[in-house]
């Protein structure tokens, strides 16, 4: 008989359940040792450190009893704990910007593959603008900083086992750029069979990590597919200008929630600490309340500024307490597994004088889908030194709502359906469904809905201007 995930959230444990938990932990340790036995000596040393972390995570997972938070203890954060960006900006910049920049390293989370967009390999190598990839744009941004302020801001890529090899191959192209690039691998934790609670892996594949410090005081951490996550000199100055006894050790950039962001994590006050609340932690009967735009008005962009000495202190004293996220998955063969994960933003509760900064929406520009890709490839944005900014010709600061159908999901499909990216400066809303193609120099304004029924096709001809139009049916050519 074995313990299941459901058993672990069932409240008070019986003596029998306690014994089962101990058995599961012993079995897990034996399986991990067996896995290490399949690795090379060099890799076993690295993986042993990873597995020590995983053992701790698995032990905590087995102790879980019910919801991670008591809803009655949740309060809105105090006003002084969420600073408006404009308030920080008003303080201005120091005379010696390079001195501040030289204490900073940029860390990009580069563990994801491009499979959801129909691409193989690391997502960071997908072209997103003028043949530039996510990684190209990131390098250009940091190189521009280093050249402009005569600084030495390194780029650190946190790769996964899936992205490490391909990423390292491509780094050769940047060796003449003015930016030092370092890589390391995120910890590799095994997936667990949902029924047996044992690792599904039977051997270790090859793969190492280039590790090493870069002698900095703060790191700016963000997802590599968030094109709005550039180094902000005003936030950096705020960190550097605090008195030593009140030094801010952690800043989380948040931004105003819209109805598209209702599932995003938010900051709360919980037991006298600022804390990140994720939807997975919310009791089922409070999910609708969590999604409320009126009660929880901000969400986490995952742009984080963290003190490196503080990380070391918390690591050395074993006080970096991150909530466990249980991520269930079904593999291609139908096997149900779980991944034990932690979110870096959840660490905010462990740091001294932590703050949220309510930043403009422009600092949250993730590219997760082809709909997002259409936005960043369009004339809505201007590209300068690797950074995208909203075009001055756009009258409204908000981006249009774009929803492309399944025919556009894969990047290659998407590119084949546009002879050129339409003019979208005056677009408010675009929905496209079915077999639809766009000719050159198409202009979209207001609300445009184009629906090709099953078996039909709609070709939008070159030079067409669609303004507040609904188009449906079987149209080979749409009149201007």
């Amino acid at each position: 008989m074995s313990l299941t995930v459901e058993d672990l959230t069932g409240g008070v444990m019986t003596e029998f359940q306690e014994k089962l938990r101990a058995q599961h932990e012993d079995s897990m340790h034996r399986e991990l040792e067996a896995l290490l036995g399949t690795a090379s000596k060099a890799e076993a040393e690295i993986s042993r450190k990873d597995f020590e972390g995983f053992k701790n995570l698995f032990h905590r997972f087995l102790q879980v009893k019910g919801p991670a938070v008591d809803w009655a203890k949740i309060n809105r954060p105090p006003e002084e704990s969420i600073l408006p960006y404009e308030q920080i900006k008003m303080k201005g910049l120091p005379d010696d910007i390079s001195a501040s920049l030289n204490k900073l390293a940029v860390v990009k989370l580069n563990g994801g593959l491009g499979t959801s967009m129909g691409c193989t390999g690391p997502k960071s190598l997908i072209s997103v603008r003028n043949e530039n990839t996510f990684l190209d744009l990131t390098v250009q941004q940091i190189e521009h900083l280093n050249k402009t302020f005569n600084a030495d801001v390194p780029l650190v890529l946190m790769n996964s086992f899936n992205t490490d090899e391909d990423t390292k191959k491509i780094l050769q192209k940047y060796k003449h750029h003015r930016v030092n690039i370092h890589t390391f691998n995120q910890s590799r934790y095994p997936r667990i069979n949902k029924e047996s609670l044992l690792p599904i892996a039977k051997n270790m594949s090859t793969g190492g990590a280039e590790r090493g410090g870069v002698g900095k005081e703060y790191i700016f951490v963000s997802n590599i597919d968030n094109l709005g996550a550039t180094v902000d000199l005003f936030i950096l100055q705020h960190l550097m200008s605090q008195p030593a006894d009140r030094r801010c050790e952690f800043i989380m950039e948040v931004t105003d929630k819209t109805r598209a962001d209702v599932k995003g994590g938010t900051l709360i006050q919980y037991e006298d600490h600022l804390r990140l609340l994720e939807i997975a932690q919310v009791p089922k009967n409070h999910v609708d309340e969590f999604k409320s735009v009126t009660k929880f008005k901000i969400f986490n962009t995952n742009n984080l500024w963290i003190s490196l000495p503080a990380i070391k202190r918390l690591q050395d004293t074993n006080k970096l307490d991150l909530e466990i996220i249980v991520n269930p998955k079904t593999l291609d063969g139908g096997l149900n597994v779980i991944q034990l994960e932690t979110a870096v933003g959840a660490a905010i509760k462990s740091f001294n004088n932590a703050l949220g900064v309510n930043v403009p929406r422009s600092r949250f520009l993730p590219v997760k889908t082809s709909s997002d890709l259409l936005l960043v490839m369009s004339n809505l944005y201007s590209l300068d030194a690797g950074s995208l900014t909203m075009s001055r010709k756009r009258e409204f600061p908000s981006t249009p709502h774009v929803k492309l159908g399944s025919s556009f999901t894969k990047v290659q499909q998407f590119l084949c359906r546009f002879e050129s990216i339409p003019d979208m400066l005056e677009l408010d809303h675009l929905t496209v469904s079915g077999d639809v193609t766009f000719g050159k120099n198409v202009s979209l304004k207001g609300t445009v809905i184009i629906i090709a029924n099953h078996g039909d096709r709609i070709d939008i001809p070159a030079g067409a201007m669609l303004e507040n139009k609904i188009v449906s049916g079987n149209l080979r050519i749409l009149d201007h």
Side-chain angles (χ1 to χ4, degrees):
M1 183 176 178
S2 66
L3 210 58
T4 65
V5 176
E6 288 73 20
D7 294 329
L8 293 171
T9 57
V12 179
M13 292 177 287
T14 66
E15 182 180 352
F16 176 66
Q17 287 175 320
E18 288 281 14
K19 288 181 178 179
L20 277 178
R21 287 170 193 263
Q23 289 174 12
H24 277 299
E25 206 155 356
D26 288 343
S27 297
M28 175 61 75
H29 289 187
R30 287 196 298 271
E31 289 290 319
L32 293 178
E33 285 300 318
L35 276 173
L36 288 173
T38 68
S40 66
K41 184 178 180 180
E43 191 189 12
E45 289 181 11
I46 295 171
S47 297
R48 187 172 293 280
K49 293 178 182 178
D50 288 345
F51 282 4
E52 286 304 313
F54 179 74
K55 287 177 184 178
N56 178 266
L57 195 66
F58 187 68
H59 174 78
R60 289 170 52 212
F61 165 69
L62 292 176
Q63 305 305 313
V64 170
K65 307 178 192 70
V69 295
D70 180 349
W71 196 257
K73 294 182 180 180
I74 290 176
N75 293 295
R76 288 183 181 178
E79 283 190 19
E80 63 272 16
S81 66
I82 311 287
L83 298 182
Y85 177 74
E86 289 303 318
Q87 182 178 325
I88 286 178
K89 196 173 181 180
M90 283 173 60
K91 295 180 180 179
L93 296 174
D95 293 332
D96 190 1
I97 293 174
S98 64
S100 295
L101 283 171
N102 284 335
K103 296 176 182 178
L104 180 72
V106 173
V107 179
K108 290 291 184 180
L109 307 183
N110 184 45
L113 295 171
T115 49
S116 64
M117 297 179 72
C119 297
T120 58
K123 185 177 181 181
S124 58
L125 305 185
I126 295 175
S127 293
V128 288
R129 179 74 185 230
N130 298 353
E131 302 302 317
N132 290 298
T133 66
F134 291 104
L135 186 55
D136 290 336
L137 296 177
T138 300
V139 171
Q140 289 170 28
Q141 291 164 16
I142 300 174
E143 182 180 42
H144 178 68
L145 272 179
N146 288 337
K147 286 182 175 179
T148 302
F149 299 104
N150 192 28
D152 179 23
V153 178
L155 170 62
V156 183
L157 298 172
M158 189 180 86
N159 299 334
S160 68
F161 174 67
N162 290 320
T163 64
D164 189 55
E165 185 177 348
D166 287 340
T167 300
K168 284 181 175 177
K169 286 178 182 176
I170 210 74
L171 291 183
Q172 294 298 318
K173 70 185 278 193
Y174 307 116
K175 62 183 179 181
H176 297 301
H177 288 253
R178 187 173 169 175
V179 53
N180 292 315
I181 304 177
H182 306 262
T183 67
F184 71 98
N185 271 1
Q186 66 189 49
S187 298
R188 275 194 290 161
Y189 291 172
R191 286 174 170 173
I192 304 169
N193 185 303
K194 188 177 180 181
E195 298 303 322
S196 68
L197 298 184
L198 292 174
I200 61 170
K202 297 305 175 188
N203 59 73
M204 298 287 292
S205 300
T206 58
E210 175 191 332
R211 300 168 186 257
V214 288
K216 304 295 179 177
E217 290 185 21
Y218 280 94
I219 53 174
F220 172 50
V221 184
S222 62
N223 297 331
I224 200 164
D225 64 1
N226 179 6
L227 295 178
T230 58
V231 172
D232 187 280
L233 297 176
F234 295 100
I235 295 178
L236 179 62
Q237 168 60 11
H238 181 80
L239 287 169
M240 297 296 179
S241 63
Q242 300 299 303
D245 60 337
R246 289 189 286 112
R247 181 61 63 95
C248 177
E249 295 181 344
F250 195 112
I251 282 180
M252 175 182 289
E253 293 185 33
V254 296
T255 195
D256 292 341
K257 185 190 289 188
T258 69
R259 297 200 180 279
D261 313 307
V262 293
K263 293 183 179 181
T266 191
L267 283 178
I268 59 171
Q269 188 78 356
Y270 192 86
E271 296 179 338
D272 297 323
H273 287 280
L274 200 60
R275 180 166 167 174
L276 177 66
L277 178 65
E278 300 279 9
I279 193 168
Q281 300 169 290
V282 177
K284 288 183 180 179
N285 57 324
H286 290 287
V287 168
D288 288 341
E289 191 178 348
F290 173 82
K291 291 181 178 180
S292 167
V293 179
T294 53
K295 181 166 183 176
F296 299 104
K297 298 181 179 181
I298 55 173
F299 74 98
N300 170 28
T301 65
N302 214 38
N303 299 345
L304 309 171
W305 303 75
I306 312 173
S307 161
L308 283 170
I311 293 174
K312 187 176 188 308
R313 182 191 75 236
L314 291 168
Q315 286 278 50
D316 290 347
T317 56
N318 199 29
K319 291 182 178 178
L320 198 58
D321 181 26
L322 304 180
E323 291 88 359
I324 297 172
I325 299 170
V326 180
N327 188 1
K329 292 180 177 289
T330 302
L331 302 185
D332 290 342
L335 180 65
N336 292 320
V337 300
I338 54 175
Q339 287 181 186
L340 301 184
E341 303 173 355
T342 55
V344 63
I348 191 170
K349 67 178 183 180
S350 302
F351 289 82
N352 296 329
N353 304 310
L355 286 173
V357 174
N358 194 341
V359 297
R361 183 77 184 200
S362 58
R363 290 193 56 77
F364 184 67
L365 188 59
V367 180
K368 304 291 185 185
T369 65
S370 56
S371 299
D372 299 329
L373 189 59
L374 179 61
L375 288 170
V376 300
M377 291 180 73
S378 76
N379 59 347
L380 286 165
Y381 293 95
S382 301
L383 179 64
D384 182 29
S387 297
L388 290 179
T389 54
M390 182 70 74
S391 171
R392 293 179 181 178
K393 296 178 182 178
R394 171 82 172 170
E395 292 184 6
F396 308 103
S398 60
T399 55
H401 179 72
V402 173
K403 185 177 181 181
L404 300 179
S406 58
S407 298
F408 293 79
T409 300
K410 296 182 178 180
V411 173
Q412 289 306 315
Q413 292 176 329
F414 165 89
L415 294 173
C416 288
R417 292 183 176 276
F418 292 97
E419 286 193 52
S420 68
I421 301 300
D423 175 353
M424 296 168 56
L425 282 173
E426 298 179 46
L427 181 68
D428 298 322
H429 178 106
L430 173 67
T431 294
V432 182
S433 177
D435 187 0
V436 180
T437 62
F438 293 80
K440 291 184 178 179
N441 303 320
V442 171
S443 179
L444 305 173
K445 300 181 180 183
T447 296
V448 178
I449 300 173
I450 306 171
I451 300 174
N453 297 324
H454 181 68
D456 294 343
R457 174 171 168 168
I458 297 177
D459 296 321
I460 308 299
M465 194 278 280
L466 304 183
E467 181 173 5
N468 295 321
K469 283 201 174 185
I470 298 176
V471 182
S472 63
N474 180 12
L475 297 181
R476 296 295 298 179
I477 297 178
L478 180 74
D479 292 333
H480 292 195

